[in-house]
Amino acid sequence: MKINYKYGRLLLLLAVAFTSCQEDAPSIEEEVIELPSETVVSVEGFYLLNEGNMSSNKASLDYYDYATGTYRRNIYSQANPDATLGLGDVGNDIGIYGNKIYAVINNSNKVEVLDATTEKRLAVIDVKNCRYITFASGKAYVSAYDGEVGVGDSSPNGFVSEIDTTALKITRTVRVGRQPEEIAVVGKKLYVANSGGYNPDNYEKTVSVIDLETFTKIKDIEVAVNLHRLKADSDGDLYVSSRGDYYSIPSNLFVIDTKTDAVKKVFDVACANLTIVGDNAYVIGSDFSYTTFNFVISYSLINVRTETLSTASFLPKSVSDLIQTPYGIAVDPLSKNVYITDAGDYVSPGKLYCVDATGNLKFSVTTGDIPAHIAFKNKTK
Amino acid sequence: MRLCNIKHSYLLQGGLYLLVWILLLNPIYAQERSHVLSQESDTLKPHHLSEVILYTSKREFKIDSPMPVQILSGKQLEKLNSLSVADAIRYFSGVQLKDYGGIGGLKTINVRSLGSAHTAVFYDGMSISNAQNGQVDLGRYSLDNIEAIELYNGQKSTIFQPARGFFASNTLYLRTKLPQFKEHKNTNIRIGLKSGSFGLVNPAMLFEQKLAEKISLTVSTEWTKADGHYKYRYQKLNGYDTTAVRQNGDIEAIRSELTLHAQVSETAKATFKAYFYDSDRGLPGAIVANNYEHVQRQSDRNFFVQGSFQNSYAKKFELLANLKFSNDFSRYIDPDYKTLEGVMDNKYYQKEFYASLANLYHITKWWKASLATDFSINTLDANLYRFPYPTRYSYLGALSSEMTWDRLDIQANLLGTYVDEQVKEYQQGDSQRIFCPVLSASYQPFNDKNFRIRAFYKESFRMPTFNDLYYTFIGNSSLKPEFTTQYNFGSTYIIEPAKVLQTASFQADLYYNRVKDKIIAMPSANLFRWTMVNLGEVEIKGIDINTNFVFKLPAQLFLDIGISYTYQKAIDITSPTGTTYKDQIPYTPENSGTLTSSLNWKNWQINYSFIYTGARYSQKANIPVNYVQPWYTSDMALVWTGKLLNIPVKTGVEVNNFFNQYYDVVLNFPMPGRNYRFNISFNF
């Protein structure tokens, strides 16, 4: 009978071992990487929002501090341990206004407002399927695909919500075209690029114009199919990109004169992303076709004053060769350093490259998944 | 007039000729008595351990199988608190179940890290295929009428089977119950009910009728309804701690099956089966910050009929003919995706016609050869933008040889396939011609018949699915198949001391696998636009261990214990310069294991089972943000078997996830905490 007791004891041991509970995991702490520092004039540094792949809930926030040269990766959870499930799913846009960071988290249906000094949560503003954000005169404007919350019906049209940046509440909402993307304010008008991406058989072709006084749509400007990017230059011109239809219509870049609200120029250049700083527009082109399965990447420079396309690439070949999937772009307004991100295969951590105005690679650093959107933080008095 | 219509008509003609041929030939040869035919199409007889007593389990082994096999059958299966096939296969070693949680959640099997599309699933001898996405949702196959689940690493240990049986990297067989009638009893009826957590109501009925001396009819039907509500909890140490109730996980499903078995003659048997499944379910979706409730829905309707005929002629020649037609409909509704035509409402219609002929010839007493040829047509229609309406014609052939001596068994297969793709519009996928060799052997090194070693080498592939090739904005019609190579070395040892320790068995396998040209989704121009590419190479080294012990204790106590353990190092070797080079691939724990046990005393039985899955990574990079914690669950059950008002009754109470652990198998798809189930069944 000895053998029985032995096995019995073994079983008891196993049973005890199994009853112990799974330990609670602590929040993941930020990681600090030392990079070269930058002279601080008016810009103190920047926040980088990593999108994270859809449903992975891996949107994350990084901060690069110019003065110390420290790059803090994944800062949100440590600063906000009580925020359930962290920053959220698909960080689609980021902006800083006043001393507040606004992160648009697409699949978490929210705009997350953080204090730009402590990085702690100030408010969560629910906006279903929100896309992009811009600011003007004490207000934030957010574009969103879904009309349900904003306009209360099952219309396929999207909307733009106005958020008071003091009260951090939605004040007004206006319906725009289908699946609206980037927005910009010029004077008293708000411009929205409509994509119509949910209907590939019938893309939208317009930029909607909203009067900010009445917060009503006053007109639609016909541009091209499947619009996406929309950036204003200092002359009151809007640079609007079309994604094309991925088959016969290629991606393209257009200029709208906001004085006449008409298209005044077509660049015939592919545009996946762009930023305008000073007299220059830095354009990443990624022209993909489902007919050939090829895609051609370009880094074009446009002088927005003369509206001419430079023949040269804004990135030296030594840097562009390193980049697999160029994704986000920002240029420091003073140093003219180019910050460009590589989303890689979209499911692994990406990279951020810093290239100075003379074309030298200053540093590269590993980011979160799909590094995408950069917001510069200006010195506060 | 489309080309494929002509092909269809040829095919129908061909099928008719085949039937006529079989029917005509059969009576002629059937006159000749033959004893060659084995009852099972599998020529290796299962090795049943001496059945200790009614209460303990009858374990099945195929000790001379040259490829590792794990079997759960009969009582063994009943002891696992399992509602579906998916719940049960978690107890196999070398297996990862990708489980999205809840009764309606998708559950697919990934064997030895080769990927879920590399496991072929057979239901009563014929493959269930899904040309659209290559996935078979094992959560939809109820255990109610399943007699046995067999998992073969590689292929089934017989050369006499349809060609499809040879082609997949791994094969899972689901076998329904064969009716057995007691003397003077021509009807068996079993009525059962399961109910419990998640608002589950699951009545089932099994009806067996002896129609004639050698013909029987089985009808099995069940209805499942659940609201799918369960609590889940996400928490961080010194941080948030949120408990919520899973929403939109409801399901309503009905399954009906009709089977006719006929012993046509002493050497011939025929089976006909019709299967119908209809379901409507909510898709509870990923739990992400600020977004816990989803509204997407899916409904499915699957129907198939299959016929099988098997005979042996002149002691030398055996024939197995199979025909199958299946019609599948699935619909996906996303109320949040608002288009000009209303909300997204995608409909997919799949059809398959399948015909197979396998011939076995006994050349000498120790040498058999077989030729199996399969033909299938798969079509997919969908109401998608720019959808090409593909049709796939597959021709499979397997030429095999098996040599069996007292101590040695050697099998060799040469597999050849030709796949022809046709589309109505846009680009069509490339046609494929592929040859794969398979070699396997089993050897008894000592006099002891209960110890054998085995080894196999197998090349196989999976075709790109219709979604891989044609899904609007994602599909890439220039894809090649994804290839796997497997090497395995293992042994089985069984001892039967018939003392306190009644029996013990040990099975261990070492393996080395490679996957190349892995089909993965890659981004193209932007996040909305992904495309499928052949990129990715994986190297897998692993150990699977299975042991079973049956003890006869004093006071009529019987204890049955099974332990399995898996070690896997499955690394990404796509590119030495890549950032995830040599990282463990997603959702593959290095260590995992299970324990099953049951204690029987007279009419009572207590079951306890335990599953452990080690730490994993949710994405390619092995970094802290992708780390997924290990999980382990304990399931328990108390079962009573006896008679109530002279009617045989079996009833039980189950507690699953006894220690109420909250965990995710797939990141952000929470699994249920502690849950309960009650079941009762009556036999008439």
Side-chain angles (χ1 to χ4, degrees):
Chain A
M1 286 319 299
K2 219 174 171 183
I3 193 159
N4 279 334
Y5 291 121
K6 207 166 83 189
Y7 282 109
R9 243 175 289 162
L10 189 74
L11 267 183
L12 200 72
L13 202 78
L14 281 170
V16 169
F18 298 158
T19 52
S20 58
C21 267
Q22 185 184 353
E23 75 280 18
D24 283 356
S27 299
I28 295 163
E29 295 191 355
E30 66 179 39
E31 296 168 273
V32 177
I33 299 110
E34 295 304 328
L35 296 175
S37 58
E38 280 286 327
T39 316
V40 176
V41 183
S42 64
V43 179
E44 281 185 337
F46 62 80
Y47 288 96
L48 167 64
L49 179 65
N50 299 284
E51 292 188 353
N53 205 2
M54 179 85 91
S55 295
S56 72
N57 198 41
K58 280 178 189 162
S60 66
L61 197 59
D62 301 348
Y63 181 71
Y64 173 54
D65 188 69
Y66 277 12
T68 59
T70 53
Y71 187 86
R72 292 158 54 222
R73 187 163 57 215
N74 195 21
I75 60 174
Y76 182 87
S77 294
Q78 190 174 321
N80 298 281
D82 293 327
T84 301
L85 295 169
L87 188 55
D89 197 30
V90 188
N92 210 70
D93 200 11
I94 190 169
I96 295 180
Y97 193 73
N99 196 36
K100 295 184 183 111
I101 305 164
Y102 295 78
V104 180
I105 314 297
N106 173 251
N107 200 36
S108 285
N109 299 330
K110 68 169 178 182
V111 176
E112 175 95 20
V113 188
L114 308 174
D115 183 294
T117 312
T118 63
E119 290 143 5
K120 287 199 183 300
R121 177 187 275 182
L122 296 172
V124 171
I125 303 159
D126 289 313
V127 186
K128 196 170 177 188
N129 212 335
C130 43
R131 300 289 299 168
Y132 291 96
I133 194 161
T134 194
F135 307 90
S137 317
K139 300 283 194 285
Y141 298 95
V142 180
S143 65
Y145 276 8
D146 203 296
E148 196 175 64
V149 172
V151 288
D153 61 23
S154 61
S155 151
N157 287 52
F159 63 97
V160 172
S161 281
E162 181 187 69
I163 295 165
D164 186 281
T165 58
T166 310
L168 299 178
K169 293 266 184 325
I170 294 176
T171 45
R172 294 185 291 181
T173 288
V174 61
R175 187 189 294 185
V176 294
R178 289 175 285 126
Q179 292 85 51
E181 301 287 12
E182 288 199 345
I183 51 182
V185 172
V186 178
K188 292 262 180 275
K189 288 183 286 189
L190 177 93
Y191 294 81
V192 193
N194 300 307
S195 73
Y198 284 179
N199 270 94
D201 53 337
N202 196 349
Y203 285 116
E204 286 273 19
K205 291 179 175 169
T206 60
V207 167
S208 294
V209 188
I210 315 294
D211 175 62
L212 284 182
E213 298 282 323
T214 59
F215 215 58
T216 50
K217 188 174 88 174
I218 47 176
K219 70 179 98 164
D220 286 322
I221 308 166
E222 180 144 332
V223 183
V225 296
N226 201 5
L227 301 178
H228 184 201
R229 306 290 176 188
L230 189 146
K231 303 271 196 254
D233 71 6
S234 51
D235 297 339
D237 285 344
L238 284 173
Y239 284 70
V240 188
S241 80
S242 156
R243 294 178 176 120
D245 69 354
Y246 310 102
Y247 290 97
S248 54
I249 307 169
S251 167
N252 211 334
L253 184 64
F254 302 85
V255 184
I256 292 173
D257 185 339
T258 57
K259 292 174 200 84
T260 59
D261 282 345
V263 174
K264 69 168 179 182
K265 193 163 172 78
V266 185
F267 274 104
D268 288 323
V269 61
C271 174
N273 204 351
L274 84 161
T275 184
I276 298 173
V277 174
D279 290 348
N280 286 319
Y282 299 75
V283 183
I284 300 174
S286 173
D287 203 10
F288 177 78
S289 161
Y290 278 97
T291 317
T292 58
F293 287 96
N294 281 325
F295 61 107
V296 182
I297 292 171
S298 56
Y299 301 94
S300 319
L301 198 63
I302 290 170
N303 185 313
V304 295
R305 277 206 195 282
T306 59
E307 286 163 16
T308 47
L309 179 68
S310 162
T311 47
S313 159
F314 71 79
L315 269 195
K317 193 168 181 305
S318 59
V319 179
S320 61
D321 281 352
L322 298 172
I323 299 174
Q324 186 190 346
T325 315
Y327 203 73
I329 173 126
V331 176
D332 184 292
L334 293 165
S335 69
K336 299 289 185 328
N337 283 350
V338 174
Y339 295 98
I340 186 163
T341 69
D342 181 359
D345 65 0
Y346 285 50
V347 289
S348 320
K351 276 210 154 125
L352 169 72
Y353 294 89
C354 172
V355 180
D356 71 17
T358 58
N360 292 317
L361 179 64
K362 287 194 81 173
F363 66 80
S364 74
V365 62
T366 301
T367 61
D369 293 358
I370 318 180
H373 312 279
I374 289 171
F376 289 105
K377 186 183 173 192
N378 284 308
K379 227 160 130 179
T380 43
K381 283 135 257 171
Chain B
M1 189 66 211
R2 295 198 326 272
L3 192 66
C4 55
N5 275 343
I6 303 168
K7 289 198 180 177
H8 274 106
S9 67
Y10 276 130
L11 187 90
L12 276 178
Q13 263 183 17
L16 275 176
Y17 284 137
L18 181 79
L19 266 179
V20 170
W21 179 63
I22 293 165
L23 290 174
L24 285 181
L25 271 184
N26 185 47
I28 305 168
Y29 286 102
Q31 304 297 320
E32 303 182 32
R33 292 287 162 92
S34 166
H35 303 286
V36 176
L37 180 80
S38 51
Q39 278 305 305
E40 292 249 305
S41 64
D42 193 330
T43 52
L44 293 174
K45 288 189 187 66
H47 177 107
H48 290 294
L49 288 186
S50 49
E51 202 170 342
V52 185
I53 195 162
L54 188 70
Y55 304 119
T56 62
S57 45
K58 186 173 74 176
R59 288 189 180 276
E60 266 185 61
F61 287 96
K62 291 182 179 171
I63 190 170
D64 33 10
S65 169
M67 297 199 183
V69 50
Q70 297 175 69
I71 303 173
L72 279 171
S73 64
K75 287 210 156 54
Q76 208 59 41
L77 206 50
E78 287 173 17
K79 286 190 317 200
L80 310 169
N81 297 2
S82 301
L83 195 60
S84 73
V85 168
D87 298 334
I89 56 149
R90 296 181 303 167
Y91 294 96
F92 286 141
S93 64
V95 164
Q96 289 305 318
L97 183 78
K98 206 165 189 193
D99 187 347
Y100 287 81
I103 291 172
L106 176 70
K107 295 166 178 65
T108 58
I109 185 177
N110 182 1
V111 182
R112 291 184 170 181
S113 301
L114 295 170
S116 57
H118 283 286
T119 303
V121 180
F122 289 76
Y123 195 74
D124 275 343
M126 266 184 256
S127 73
I128 305 164
S129 61
N130 187 335
Q132 186 192 345
N133 58 25
Q135 277 179 340
V136 177
D137 183 357
L138 293 172
R140 295 183 192 187
Y141 293 90
S142 153
L143 277 183
D144 188 63
N145 65 331
I146 298 289
E147 173 66 27
I149 303 174
E150 301 173 14
L151 175 69
Y152 292 85
N153 296 114
Q155 67 214 27
K156 201 173 187 176
S157 48
T158 172
I159 61 164
F160 184 45
Q161 60 171 332
R164 272 189 181 174
F166 297 101
F167 273 81
S169 307
N170 298 287
T171 41
L172 181 72
Y173 287 84
L174 312 178
R175 204 165 70 211
T176 62
K177 290 190 168 84
L178 264 178
Q180 281 176 333
F181 299 98
K182 284 184 183 148
E183 223 168 317
H184 309 301
K185 198 162 182 273
N186 289 333
T187 310
N188 295 331
I189 296 171
R190 195 186 69 217
I191 292 170
L193 174 72
K194 288 182 182 130
S195 181
S197 304
F198 326 121
L200 173 73
V201 184
N202 174 215
M205 196 270 292
L206 179 75
F207 171 80
E208 296 170 333
Q209 178 71 44
K210 194 190 262 186
L211 298 175
E213 191 49 43
K214 298 208 161 146
I215 302 172
S216 68
L217 169 78
T218 306
V219 177
S220 161
T221 186
E222 74 179 303
W223 182 70
T224 309
K225 190 173 168 63
D227 59 30
H229 291 162
Y230 57 83
K231 266 195 212 163
Y232 60 91
R233 181 178 183 180
Y234 283 113
Q235 58 182 331
K236 289 282 185 209
L237 196 65
N238 305 320
Y240 61 83
D241 184 350
T242 300
T243 304
V245 174
R246 197 78 166 120
Q247 300 296 327
N248 202 39
D250 62 292
I251 179 168
E252 185 176 352
I254 188 160
R255 175 187 62 84
S256 283
E257 276 177 77
L258 180 149
T259 317
L260 272 169
H261 291 282
Q263 191 74 41
V264 181
S265 72
E266 204 163 316
T267 60
K269 61 177 183 180
T271 320
F272 170 82
K273 186 178 197 75
Y275 178 99
F276 177 79
Y277 177 85
D278 190 277
S279 73
D280 179 60
R281 71 190 71 202
L283 298 171
I287 297 297
V288 298
N290 205 43
N291 188 2
Y292 303 161
E293 293 184 16
H294 300 268
V295 289
Q296 291 77 10
R297 298 202 68 83
Q298 185 181 328
S299 52
D300 295 273
R301 199 181 57 234
N302 309 104
F303 172 72
F304 68 75
V305 283
Q306 64 186 38
S308 177
F309 176 80
Q310 190 181 343
N311 200 0
S312 78
Y313 307 94
K315 298 183 182 178
K316 283 278 188 195
F317 180 70
E318 290 178 53
L319 173 111
L320 172 66
N322 287 326
L323 274 177
K324 181 175 179 176
F325 175 76
S326 66
N327 190 333
D328 298 331
F329 166 70
S330 117
R331 181 178 181 189
Y332 172 78
I333 300 170
D334 184 353
D336 273 349
Y337 198 99
K338 291 166 187 150
T339 72
L340 283 171
E341 297 79 35
V343 302
M344 180 195 268
D345 185 356
N346 290 342
K347 293 171 187 164
Y348 303 91
Y349 304 85
Q350 276 196 81
K351 282 183 191 144
E352 181 181 60
F353 172 82
Y354 168 76
S356 163
L357 201 57
N359 306 286
L360 179 74
Y361 187 70
H362 296 259
I363 301 167
T364 66
K365 215 177 158 192
W366 51 268
W367 191 16
K368 289 180 286 190
S370 80
L371 176 68
T373 49
D374 286 11
F375 171 69
S376 61
I377 306 173
N378 290 87
T379 62
L380 175 64
D381 289 358
N383 64 338
L384 296 179
Y385 172 63
R386 285 183 74 103
F387 194 72
Y389 303 96
T391 300
R392 174 177 292 176
Y393 302 90
S394 310
Y395 305 81
L396 311 181
L399 188 64
S400 313
S401 151
E402 180 178 6
M403 289 176 265
T404 316
W405 294 279
D406 251 8
R407 286 181 162 197
L408 180 66
D409 183 272
I410 299 174
Q411 285 187 31
N413 317 95
L414 181 65
L415 316 177
T417 186
Y418 174 67
V419 180
D420 179 27
E421 297 268 332
Q422 300 284 341
V423 293
K424 274 195 216 169
E425 286 173 82
Y426 311 111
Q427 292 132 302
Q428 72 186 39
D430 299 332
S431 295
Q432 306 289 344
R433 264 186 200 81
I434 298 153
F435 289 93
C436 297
V438 184
L439 199 62
S440 59
S442 149
Y443 177 63
Q444 178 197 320
F446 312 113
N447 278 333
D448 188 350
K449 276 197 157 96
N450 283 335
F451 181 73
R452 274 185 97 99
I453 56 171
R454 59 173 167 260
F456 82 81
Y457 157 74
K458 181 175 166 78
E459 302 255 336
S460 44
F461 67 95
R462 76 155 178 106
M463 280 295 294
T465 63
F466 284 153
N467 279 358
D468 294 339
L469 291 165
Y470 306 117
Y471 200 86
T472 317
F473 289 133
I474 294 171
N476 176 352
S477 56
S478 58
L479 285 177
K480 294 177 294 196
E482 182 178 308
F483 290 92
T484 68
T485 306
Q486 300 182 80
Y487 301 89
N488 184 92
F489 176 78
S491 73
T492 303
Y493 184 41
I494 299 168
I495 52 169
E496 297 171 88
K499 294 190 180 119
V500 169
L501 177 64
Q502 287 277 323
T503 63
S505 71
F506 307 88
Q507 220 183 143
D509 285 274
L510 287 168
Y511 49 91
Y512 177 83
N513 299 339
R514 288 289 276 260
V515 185
K516 69 166 194 174
D517 292 337
K518 210 171 159 70
I519 297 171
I520 58 162
M522 276 292 284
S524 49
N526 60 58
L527 200 48
F528 284 101
R529 299 289 171 252
W530 292 65
T531 190
M532 306 306 297
V533 290
N534 284 107
L535 181 74
E537 214 173 327
V538 182
E539 180 191 74
I540 303 136
K541 289 174 193 159
I543 302 168
D544 290 352
I545 295 170
N546 283 292
T547 60
N548 284 294
F549 306 92
V550 178
F551 300 96
K552 185 181 173 192
L553 307 173
Q556 299 183 49
L557 275 171
F558 288 90
L559 176 65
D560 184 320
I561 295 175
I563 297 167
S564 80
Y565 168 76
T566 304
Y567 169 82
Q568 266 185 24
K569 190 85 197 156
I571 56 170
D572 175 4
I573 52 162
T574 307
S575 153
T577 56
T579 54
T580 57
Y581 185 65
K582 292 207 167 171
D583 275 5
Q584 183 89 350
I585 62 170
Y587 291 114
T588 309
E590 279 193 18
N591 297 291
S592 54
T594 66
L595 175 131
T596 57
S597 64
S598 73
L599 192 64
N600 292 270
W601 183 72
K602 294 182 180 171
N603 286 359
W604 295 89
Q605 181 179 308
I606 296 172
N607 302 326
Y608 171 78
S609 51
F610 171 81
I611 293 181
Y612 171 84
T613 296
R616 297 143 293 146
Y617 292 95
S618 62
Q619 275 167 19
K620 284 165 68 183
N622 292 182
I623 54 174
V625 288
N626 293 337
Y627 178 84
V628 184
Q629 281 207 308
W631 59 267
Y632 31 88
T633 55
S634 290
D635 297 350
M636 291 176 203
L638 180 67
V639 182
W640 181 77
T641 318
K643 279 192 173 174
L644 214 68
L645 301 170
N646 224 19
I647 299 166
V649 175
K650 190 187 165 196
T651 183
V653 184
E654 301 171 12
V655 186
N656 297 312
N657 194 356
F658 188 85
F659 298 108
N660 200 28
Q661 195 184 105
Y662 292 101
Y663 66 105
D664 287 4
V665 174
V666 179
L667 190 73
N668 306 328
F669 287 83
M671 301 294 290
R674 187 185 303 123
N675 62 86
Y676 306 91
R677 209 148 51 208
F678 162 78
N679 64 66
I680 188 160
S681 67
F682 300 92
N683 286 293
F684 300 97

